[in-house]
Amino acid sequence: MTDTTPSTDQAQRKMFTALAKHEALVPVPFGSGWFKVPRWNATHEATGWELRGADIQLPGGRPWGSLWYVRRADGREVRVGVRWDVENEVVETLYLHRTKPESGKDRDEVDADRLELDAQARMTALQSINAFIGAQVLNLEGETAVLDAAGLGLKRLLDDDVQSEQS
């Protein structure tokens, strides 16, 4: 159980909710004050490395920036760049030189493929959680506009329409 007591600017009351291992609570400035969201899939974590920092922006909801990792065994620092591939609509990651804006040369020495997968999983989770929160605050008109912008502006079926089609 997690104590989800609102901050002092909200009504003082105790609320409790059960959280699964793969869930987290995110505070929001309305409603109950919290959303239960899925955590990132840690099976993609780069074993032997620790995420030490991130400089990430989300202009237009698309990630841009870098993540820094440190190898636990020897303290080696590695940087992985993150950006949105506009043509393919996916998160793109690339092992980078520690200080220069260019690709790292020793990919095999640092298990770059695994670090890139780790960064991609974290960024995809960030986008998913942001989208989840956004979807919770939209009304039907806003939701329809989002679906249309994503190329999913299909005709909506009302519950009555669905039931009559199933009969």
Side-chain angles (χ1 to χ4, degrees):
M1 291 290 224
T2 300
D3 181 358
T4 61
T5 305
S7 62
T8 56
D9 60 332
Q10 295 178 347
Q12 289 296 314
R13 65 180 188 255
K14 288 269 187 185
M15 299 184 321
F16 294 88
T17 186
L19 284 180
K21 191 174 188 177
H22 64 277
E23 296 175 323
L25 287 178
V26 174
V28 292
F30 49 82
S32 68
W34 301 94
F35 278 144
K36 192 185 297 188
V37 299
R39 288 188 177 275
W40 80 291
N41 185 348
T43 60
H44 299 297
E45 186 173 18
T47 307
W49 292 86
E50 181 179 336
L51 178 66
R52 283 282 176 89
D55 181 12
I56 299 295
Q57 298 174 21
L58 289 169
R62 296 171 171 165
W64 173 263
S66 300
L67 300 178
W68 289 274
Y69 296 86
V70 174
R71 187 166 33 206
R72 290 184 184 104
D74 60 7
R76 177 161 182 178
E77 296 181 11
V78 170
R79 185 168 63 115
V80 177
V82 177
R83 69 178 182 187
W84 185 256
D85 178 347
V86 178
E87 289 182 26
N88 295 308
E89 295 291 335
V90 295
V91 174
E92 185 177 78
T93 57
L94 180 64
Y95 163 59
L96 297 172
H97 186 277
R98 202 165 58 88
T99 58
K100 300 176 190 172
E102 61 187 42
S103 180
K105 304 290 184 229
D106 54 350
R107 292 185 59 83
D108 292 336
E109 288 181 33
V110 298
D111 196 13
D113 291 341
R114 188 75 176 141
L115 287 165
E116 290 169 352
L117 179 61
D118 178 296
Q120 186 175 36
R122 291 175 193 267
M123 289 301 99
T124 302
L126 177 61
Q127 286 183 292
S128 175
I129 292 166
N130 275 323
F132 173 83
I133 292 170
Q136 298 302 308
V137 301
L138 291 175
N139 59 19
L140 182 61
E141 182 181 7
E143 185 179 300
T144 300
V146 167
L147 291 170
D148 186 52
L152 296 169
L154 304 170
K155 179 183 178 293
R156 287 184 179 267
L157 295 176
L158 301 175
D159 287 337
D160 294 341
D161 295 336
V162 173
Q163 290 174 357
S164 65
E165 283 185 13
Q166 292 175 350
S167 301

